[in-house]
Amino acid sequence: MTTQPQSPVAVMPPLPNRRNAELILLGFATAITALALLLVEVNQDQGPHWDLAQYTVAYLALFAGAHLAIRRFAPYADPLLLPVVALLNGLGLVMIHRLDIAEGELTADGLGGTANQQTLWTLLGVVGFSLIVIFLRDHRLLARYGYVCGLTGLVLLAIPAVLPRSMSEQNGAKIWIELPGFSIQPAEFSKILLLIFFAAVLVSKRSLFTSAGKHFLGMDLPRPRDLAPLLAAWVASVGVMIFEKDLGTSLLLYASFLVLLYVATDRFSWVVIGLALFAAGSIAAYHLFGHVRVRVQTWLDPFADPEGAGYQMTQSLFSFATGGIFGTGLGNGQPGTVPAASTDFIIAAVGEELGLVGLAAVLMLYTIVIIRGLRTAIAVRDSFGKLLAAGLASTLAIQLFIVVGGVTKLIPLTGLTTPWMSYGGSSLLANYLLLAILVRISHAARRPIVTTPQASTPLAAAGTEVIEKV
């Protein structure tokens, strides 16, 4: 009896998930943050002290905990997202500490008033990030609660408008909920909830948005009866601009909706109609409301009133001019001359002390996060995940453009914060939750697909597995 030779079964090794690379990059982020903090201390004649080592170890331990959550519950997540955000957060803490020194807000045993508060919010943000990674096992579950998220987001967006000014208004904008002991900016969380709602609706009602109407100038225009969702988004954004005097949130939410609409339909006509509606609303608001008119006039010529309405912008421009190409060096500039430097104008502080080169490096870090988010949108297999990842990444890009454009006088000032860098608990916590959802989607996009081939041979029938990596 002759025995037929059997083909050897190839055993594939486990695919790399790049978690060790993520841990090494977190170490680099911590080292850069510690070095930047040391430079500030030395240049401000504070001198190195043991508190720096304690903060460095605590910072590394905090993000190591987030890394362990990813390693255990989302092992195939993008390895660049968390380290890059950790570095941005660390540089933001350093600049806030630098501004505390400039404003004389140091404490005897800590970094300083606002820096200590921002450190606490960083702790809460990373904890919230870890909880989302642990308990959101499948991002597609969010699609089931799309309408709930949409309603909750609209309610959060509208609450400051109906509250009395004493409980909601700061610096002329009604965007806060003032509570005893702390305040919260609900629009930061509303943008995430509304993005989930937009993605869920565009997936379930895609046929409504892709129905073609008349053909005009090379574009397939939507049917008039299909314009209701776009009009609703336009009314909501204009309402935020009018009743809450918040130009930044209005532009951010509406632009994010248009991006998602274009991604879902691949029709530029929606963008053209949407931009036309927003332009019409902005022109009407300029003529009807004084606060919009002041913002635009200050943008056009801040030096017309350099000691009044244009003071903040002129000081920002002077900061960039002082920084030049390579900057004055951490701790050697005068960033405290710019009002609200730790919140709206932290980019100006970065531009002064790190110069054009340092600012370009910071913007490159943001670009990495945005590009990796868009790559996640391309790679993930479900339509809801594609739209949500594209929306989250696009929102970061739009917000960064609005912030940097306003600070550099490219567009009117809006009052938005720089993600992960500016002082503000609501912004920091909301952006960490946004990052956690993006990490979850990237895990679904990068994890291996395990399939069983059809039983064409006895070996295949026995259950040989084919694994491919996307």
Side-chain angles (χ1 to χ4, degrees), residues 247 286 289-300 309-310 412:
L247 303 179
Y286 174 81
F289 303 102
H291 65 277
V292 177
R293 196 157 47 249
V294 169
R295 288 286 183 94
V296 175
Q297 291 172 352
T298 302
W299 164 57
L300 292 174

Side-chain angles (χ1 to χ4, degrees), residues 443-461:
H443 167 71
R446 294 166 56 87
R447 68 186 174 190
I449 303 175
V450 180
T451 60
T452 302
Q454 296 181 354
S456 57
T457 65
L459 185 60

Side-chain angles (χ1 to χ4, degrees), residues 87-98:
L87 180 54
L88 289 171
N89 195 172
L91 293 176
L93 285 170
V94 171
M95 292 307 303
I96 293 171
H97 172 56
R98 168 69 185 93

Side-chain angles (χ1 to χ4, degrees), residues 16-19 69-77 440 443:
N17 55 26
R18 308 298 298 277
R19 298 277 65 83
I70 295 177
R71 181 182 286 268
R72 172 64 180 84
F73 296 97
Y76 292 99
R440 258 293 162 201
H443 167 71

Side-chain angles (χ1 to χ4, degrees), residues 214-238:
K214 294 183 179 180
H215 191 77
F216 180 72
L217 294 179
M219 298 183 295
D220 291 324
L221 300 178
R223 297 173 299 183
R225 65 175 179 269
D226 296 334
L227 292 174
L230 179 60
L231 292 175
W234 176 74
V235 169
S237 65
V238 173

